[in-house]
Amino acid sequence: MLKRRKAFVLLLLSTFAASQLAGSAGTTAFAASASTTTAKTAATVTEVSSLTGLSAIKLGTTLSVKLGNVGIQSQTGGNILTYTLTYTNNASSSVNMVNYFSKIVTAGGSIIKGIPVSADSAVKKIAAKQSTSITYYANIGTAASAKGLKINMYGWNFSAANYEQRIGTFTIPSNYSLSSLTGETRKVELGSIPVNTKAESAQIYKYNGKVYAKVGLSITNLGTKVLTDPGYSLYLKSSGGSTFTLTLDDSSSEYKVQPQEKKTLYYMTEIPSYMNVTKMTLQIAKLDEGLKLYLPVSSYSLPAAGTADFTVAAGYTKKISIDSNIVDMKLADASVHADNGNAVWSYQLTLKNAGTKAVTLPAYELAVKSAEGYTFPVTTTAFSSLTLKPLEEKLIELTASVPLELAQDTLELQMVAPAGSSTSSTSSNGSNSSNGSNGSSETSTSSSKVILPVAYFKIPYSLAGNTHITTENSITNSYGTFGVTLNSLQRLPWGSEDIVQAKVTISNHSSKTITLPALTGVLKVDQTDLSSSSQLYTESTSTVLAPGASTQVSVLAHVPYTLDFSLAQIILQETSGTSTTQFLSLGTTDGLSSGITPLAVGESFKITSTGKKASVKERSTLVYSGTSNNLIYSEVEMNSEETRQTDLSRLYGQFKTADGQYFEATAIQSESSTSPAGKTLVTFWANIPAAVDTNGLQLYVSQEIADGKLTSAGTAATAYVNTSALTLAPVVPTPAGNLTSVSLYPYTLAISNSTGTITSGTTSLALAFNYNLSRDTTYQMGAFDHKLILHITDPYGQYFEKTLSLGTDLAVGTYGSYTTTITNSLFKNLSGGTYKLTLYDEFQGQRTELGGQVYSVDVVTKAASTTDTGTTAAAGNGSTEASGS
């Protein structure tokens, strides 16, 4: 087999080796052409950045190879050359690549074999009728240019020296540039996604005694997937060969390019102040994990670098590029007033996204600098996660305090980029300068924060007038122009405290849709700060206000029941971390309302909260009469008006008497969600003194909240909103004259007959009754805390009681039976008589009679063979024994 394989290789090579070496269409032809071209253009050499002019080399009658993508990456252990060979197989069968290899010949005459990179090392064959590209690498030592390099193609020839037969040579043109030319677009692959790339800009920043270079690289995603950061390394290379590691600038913090999208990313590095900044290049390299080497991906000639100027004249706009978007910045207004030896400044900074995509601004640092050289920080959270949609404009309000002895008419508002990541710079040729040396290399790392100015806004000087916010005002803040109305200010009870509740309507008076921030509310009364118990509730879940639209918010706080005050201040603010920004403030000395206009008996009110819409009305109200206290028991039906299954609002209730007393009610409500158009029954009850008149009784019903949100089942409420007053119609239940139908809602019990049987001479009376028990399922209900008490009065007037559980002791359904036995020593002499069954509804220890009925006792003569034990228990469904008292 080995002999046949050698013969085949020799035969194969003999078919093309002679023609290639004799100068057929290949490198020799190109060399002749190049020689002629060189002679014609000796005076002016034009650089090229593509190798498309090199002809393909034929490796056989059906296999050819073409050179492309030559790159060099500087490394401390020797520079790494990469080149890509594209093999085209026109045969009908695959070609084994073990028969071919390539070697690099450096300008100094060194010959180095090319080795496939890790990603291509597994390619062993070229499939039939296919083209396959393989990238090779080689360590070329100190060589930093491709000029003079040759790449020889070889095949095995066992009759040649070393068995290697050179088939052809690719000679890199002397005018070839490893970098794309200035302004040229280059197509490459980043993270296996094809992209068009272009070096867009280079700019020099000088700040705080340091010099930084910032380069812009545009990327157009030509693929079908989103391009995210592939983890490649980028370097700035000087004309002298020094390289500096680049890091992504904060303005390009999101490396994400959608398919067909074009985005410019900006990179930063610190450079020496003495470095020559002409003819710099941008290099991209990626780490080959298998080889532990950085391999070149692409290189770009950078445009001429300019030096940045940060000063912005008063009234002018500064254009900032952020994530390939232009953001217009302008100091729109500045006013000042004197306060205790300081000039207190207020600024309005406008920001507008002039681009076509949403952009998130960096957390800029702001300060006011005087002509005397003093700097005063401006604290703000406005730039924390600030995102601007296309064409969206934001107004940011800032304040600063500057001593009056400093000149106020020459101040600057300085905007500085946030601190970036630590950067490292790598210097080849021995130093961080742009001048090359003897080919040695060293790496120096500087761990410093890249902090650069964005703009120095000249501050116009003008005095501000005082303004006051009243009940109806037009205000302009960082979010837009609004109309603000104080709708109501109420004081309502909350246990032993009161709740002060202010309702405010905010209307969008601008011509654009406005998104409100996440607001918090604070209430202050006179000199008392109620912020510890303050909370803000908004009716709508949407924070977007279209032009002319409005939203209503409620600000609440607890106050002591005994506290009197005359001034209330309502503050809405945006909180970020430990700092807050005031959105608006309202102050009023208007009196507080403590009453609510009641609804007529039977009238309902609406709950309009988003996702919890419902109508609410009284179903029934009962009075359980007691000795010293009466129990008020009110059933309220809540009918869902939603079209989806939903958790309706948790309700809070208070009974209010005609003379103004409030009794907090306990609510019993289902914890389950309610179906569309479903009904839920909510029960409220409270004990009130028996002397309190229940005529004119009202039930104040509210929605429970905690932490500014409507509560869910199991969450304790800390306040309530949206109170309505239901006028109740309380009744004292009248017991039924018999037990053919008694109601303990939602149950209805009908006892059709009852029998009492005793064997003469015994002490046990067996009682039984037949019943029908039904349950109304119209309403979804909470826990059923009622007890059904069976009160039995025997023929001697003594009574016995049993507590029956509806649905358990008495099953829902028809033709049920229940038996029990009562024992009394007097029954030995019983020869007849009657007994009475009375049913009571017991709730929270208070009872009301449902009805009663008298039945006859049937005495049975004892059989002669039966031994009288003195007790008899009647067997049956639910059989039990009752004791009398």
Side-chain angles (χ1 to χ4, degrees):
M1 279 297 289
L2 179 60
K3 184 179 291 184
R4 287 198 299 270
R5 183 175 180 274
K6 288 182 177 180
F8 171 76
V9 173
L10 288 171
L11 179 63
L12 177 67
L13 291 174
S14 66
T15 62
F16 59 82
S19 63
Q20 288 291 343
L21 295 175
S24 62
T27 306
T28 306
F30 177 84
S33 174
S35 175
T36 304
T37 303
T38 303
K40 291 180 180 179
T41 60
T44 57
V45 177
T46 302
E47 285 192 326
V48 295
S49 60
S50 171
L51 296 174
T52 55
L54 288 178
S55 299
I57 296 177
K58 299 195 68 174
L59 301 179
T61 56
T62 61
L63 183 66
S64 63
V65 64
K66 192 168 178 61
L67 174 66
N69 298 334
V70 175
I72 296 177
Q73 181 62 38
S74 299
Q75 309 256 350
T76 55
N79 296 337
I80 301 299
L81 169 76
T82 61
Y83 57 95
T84 299
L85 296 177
T86 301
Y87 299 90
T88 301
N89 178 16
N90 292 318
S92 57
S93 60
S94 63
V95 174
N96 196 333
M97 292 305 297
V98 73
N99 297 317
Y100 307 101
F101 55 94
S102 60
K103 292 183 179 181
I104 300 97
V105 181
T106 68
S110 299
I111 301 176
I112 309 159
K113 186 177 181 179
I115 303 172
V117 299
S118 296
D120 295 338
S121 61
V123 179
K124 304 300 181 184
K125 293 183 179 181
I126 307 299
K129 307 295 183 181
Q130 296 291 324
S131 291
T132 300
S133 295
I134 301 176
T135 299
Y136 301 84
Y137 80 96
N139 190 324
I140 58 174
T142 59
S145 171
K147 295 176 181 179
L149 286 176
K150 296 180 181 180
I151 298 173
N152 293 333
M153 297 302 304
Y154 290 86
W156 294 112
N157 185 344
F158 297 104
S159 64
N162 298 325
Y163 305 108
E164 298 177 357
Q165 175 70 56
R166 182 166 64 87
I167 303 170
T169 299
F170 293 109
T171 301
I172 308 299
S174 60
N175 63 338
Y176 176 70
S177 171
L178 291 170
S179 303
S180 67
L181 305 182
T182 303
E184 182 182 14
T185 297
R186 173 169 285 188
K187 184 176 181 180
V188 297
E189 280 195 359
L190 299 179
S192 301
I193 295 177
V195 297
N196 276 339
T197 55
K198 180 182 176 183
E200 298 285 354
S201 63
Q203 195 164 33
I204 304 302
Y205 290 81
K206 297 180 180 179
Y207 181 63
N208 278 353
K210 295 184 177 182
V211 179
Y212 302 93
K214 179 177 181 179
V215 298
L217 176 69
S218 68
I219 299 175
T220 303
N221 187 347
L222 304 178
T224 58
K225 297 181 180 179
V226 176
L227 172 64
T228 56
D229 192 347
Y232 295 170
S233 297
L234 279 81
Y235 304 92
L236 177 71
K237 186 175 182 179
S238 72
S239 58
S242 300
T243 57
F244 305 87
T245 301
L246 290 162
T247 57
L248 197 64
D249 183 59
D250 279 350
S251 64
S252 305
S253 57
E254 184 181 29
Y255 194 130
K256 182 183 290 185
V257 187
Q258 302 291 339
Q260 311 310 312
E261 180 188 15
K262 180 179 180 180
K263 177 181 285 189
T264 300
L265 301 177
Y266 292 91
Y267 294 85
M268 299 285 300
T269 189
E270 183 181 349
I271 61 175
S273 59
Y274 49 79
M275 191 179 96
N276 185 354
V277 295
T278 61
K279 295 184 179 181
M280 297 187 297
T281 57
L282 168 65
Q283 296 181 330
I284 303 177
K286 67 177 178 180
L287 177 65
D288 187 315
E289 295 286 354
L291 302 175
K292 305 301 181 185
L293 292 173
Y294 280 93
L295 304 180
V297 174
S298 188
S299 180
Y300 309 86
S301 297
L302 289 171
T307 302
D309 182 14
F310 309 113
T311 303
V312 183
Y316 281 78
T317 298
K318 176 74 171 180
K319 292 185 179 293
I320 304 295
S321 179
I322 301 175
D323 200 17
S324 299
N325 268 25
I326 297 297
V327 176
D328 293 337
M329 299 183 177
K330 181 180 179 181
L331 187 61
D333 186 45
S335 58
V336 63
H337 68 271
D339 182 19
N340 195 27
N342 289 315
V344 180
W345 282 89
S346 297
Y347 309 113
Q348 286 191 333
L349 183 67
T350 62
L351 311 172
K352 182 178 180 180
N353 181 1
T356 59
K357 298 175 295 183
V359 61
T360 299
L361 277 70
Y364 293 120
E365 298 174 5
L366 300 173
V368 173
K369 186 174 183 179
S370 71
E372 294 84 352
Y374 297 98
T375 302
F376 304 91
V378 177
T379 303
T380 180
T381 59
F383 290 102
S384 300
S385 302
L386 175 58
T387 299
L388 296 178
K389 292 178 289 187
L391 302 182
E392 182 181 9
E393 186 171 345
K394 289 278 188 182
L395 185 147
I396 296 177
E397 295 183 339
L398 307 169
T399 59
S401 182
V402 180
L404 284 174
E405 60 262 29
L406 300 178
Q408 304 297 315
D409 56 350
T410 55
L411 299 176
E412 285 183 344
L413 176 64
Q414 295 189 340
M415 177 182 290
V416 179
S421 304
S422 296
T423 62
S424 63
S425 60
T426 302
S427 172
S428 299
N429 297 333
S431 71
N432 273 347
S433 72
S434 58
N435 298 315
S437 60
N438 57 8
S440 63
S441 63
E442 66 179 43
T443 300
S444 63
T445 301
S446 62
S447 180
S448 60
K449 301 291 185 179
V450 180
I451 305 174
L452 295 177
V454 174
Y456 296 155
F457 295 100
K458 293 294 185 180
I459 300 175
Y461 180 73
S462 62
L463 292 174
N466 292 325
T467 59
H468 301 279
I469 300 176
T470 59
T471 303
E472 174 66 29
N473 272 273
S474 177
I475 66 166
T476 298
N477 57 27
S478 58
Y479 292 92
T481 301
F482 302 94
V484 181
T485 304
L486 178 63
N487 298 322
S488 63
L489 193 62
Q490 292 180 317
R491 181 171 185 166
L492 297 171
W494 173 262
S496 60
E497 296 180 307
D498 282 349
I499 287 180
V500 176
Q501 179 180 140
K503 285 189 177 182
V504 178
T505 296
I506 303 172
S507 302
N508 181 3
H509 281 187
S510 69
S511 59
K512 298 179 180 179
T513 297
I514 294 175
T515 300
L516 295 176
L519 296 172
T520 57
V522 172
L523 267 175
K524 296 180 180 180
V525 292
D526 289 343
Q527 302 303 315
T528 304
D529 188 342
L530 306 177
S531 57
S532 61
S533 66
S534 294
Q535 55 183 307
L536 179 143
Y537 168 76
T538 179
E539 193 74 18
S540 174
T541 57
S542 175
T543 59
V544 178
L545 289 182
S550 62
T551 188
Q552 189 177 87
V553 299
S554 296
V555 182
L556 310 95
H558 294 187
V559 297
Y561 169 65
T562 56
L563 179 66
D564 291 326
F565 57 88
S566 59
L567 172 65
Q569 186 178 9
I570 304 103
I571 300 169
L572 300 186
Q573 59 192 18
E574 181 184 5
T575 302
S576 177
T578 58
S579 30
T580 59
T581 302
Q582 184 171 289
F583 184 83
L584 64 86
S585 176
L586 298 172
T588 181
T589 57
D590 295 345
L592 283 82
S593 170
S594 59
I596 297 173
T597 303
L599 301 169
V601 175
E603 191 174 353
S604 64
F605 69 88
K606 300 283 188 181
I607 291 176
T608 59
S609 301
T610 303
K612 299 181 183 294
K613 293 181 176 65
S615 63
V616 181
K617 68 177 181 178
E618 176 197 21
R619 180 184 177 274
S620 67
T621 300
L622 304 177
V623 178
Y624 289 72
S625 300
T627 304
S628 58
N629 288 301
N630 293 333
L631 187 144
I632 306 298
Y633 178 90
S634 187
E635 292 177 342
V636 171
E637 63 179 55
M638 182 163 52
N639 302 322
S640 175
E641 295 183 352
E642 295 290 340
T643 58
R644 297 288 188 274
Q645 191 97 356
T646 188
D647 293 324
L648 295 177
S649 295
R650 310 299 297 179
L651 300 185
Y652 173 80
Q654 299 173 89
F655 292 107
K656 181 188 178 185
T657 63
D659 59 355
Q661 298 184 72
Y662 290 89
F663 297 91
E664 187 173 20
T666 299
I668 302 173
Q669 185 173 347
S670 171
E671 295 186 357
S672 302
S673 57
T674 305
S675 61
K679 297 184 177 184
T680 293
L681 197 68
V682 185
T683 299
F684 297 97
W685 66 270
N687 283 305
I688 65 175
V692 172
D693 188 0
T694 58
N695 290 323
L697 189 66
Q698 297 173 11
L699 176 62
Y700 276 27
V701 181
S702 315
Q703 294 170 261
E704 292 184 345
I705 65 168
D707 298 325
K709 298 178 181 178
L710 295 174
T711 60
S712 55
T715 302
T718 56
Y720 54 83
V721 292
N722 300 331
T723 304
S724 295
L726 296 176
T727 300
L728 303 178
V731 296
V732 177
T734 301
N738 55 54
L739 299 180
T740 57
S741 180
V742 294
S743 178
L744 179 54
Y745 193 80
Y747 296 97
T748 299
L749 177 65
I751 296 178
S752 56
N753 59 74
S754 177
T755 59
T757 304
I758 189 170
T759 302
S760 62
T762 64
T763 59
S764 296
L765 175 62
L767 303 178
F769 60 79
N770 297 321
Y771 67 89
N772 294 330
L773 180 64
S774 62
R775 176 170 181 166
D776 187 351
T777 58
T778 301
Y779 298 100
Q780 195 170 278
M781 300 178 63
F784 184 74
D785 290 340
H786 294 264
K787 297 177 181 178
L788 180 65
I789 306 299
L790 174 62
H791 185 98
I792 306 168
T793 305
D794 70 9
Y796 294 103
Q798 299 186 71
Y799 68 87
F800 305 79
E801 286 190 348
K802 288 292 298 179
T803 300
L804 302 180
S805 175
L806 294 175
T808 304
D809 295 327
L810 300 183
V812 174
T814 56
Y815 308 113
S817 64
Y818 178 83
T819 61
T820 187
T821 300
I822 61 176
T823 302
N824 192 333
S825 60
L826 297 176
F827 292 169
K828 281 190 175 184
N829 302 318
L830 188 64
S831 58
T834 61
Y835 63 94
K836 184 178 182 181
L837 300 181
T838 307
L839 295 177
Y840 289 93
D841 169 17
E842 182 177 291
F843 183 81
Q844 300 298 325
Q846 299 280 31
R847 289 185 180 181
T848 183
E849 183 180 344
L850 300 175
Q853 192 166 342
V854 176
Y855 302 92
S856 297
V857 176
D858 184 12
V859 181
V860 179
T861 303
K862 180 170 62 174
S865 60
T866 302
T867 302
D868 186 3
T869 63
T871 61
T872 302
N877 179 36
S879 176
T880 185
E881 183 172 313
S883 59
S885 60

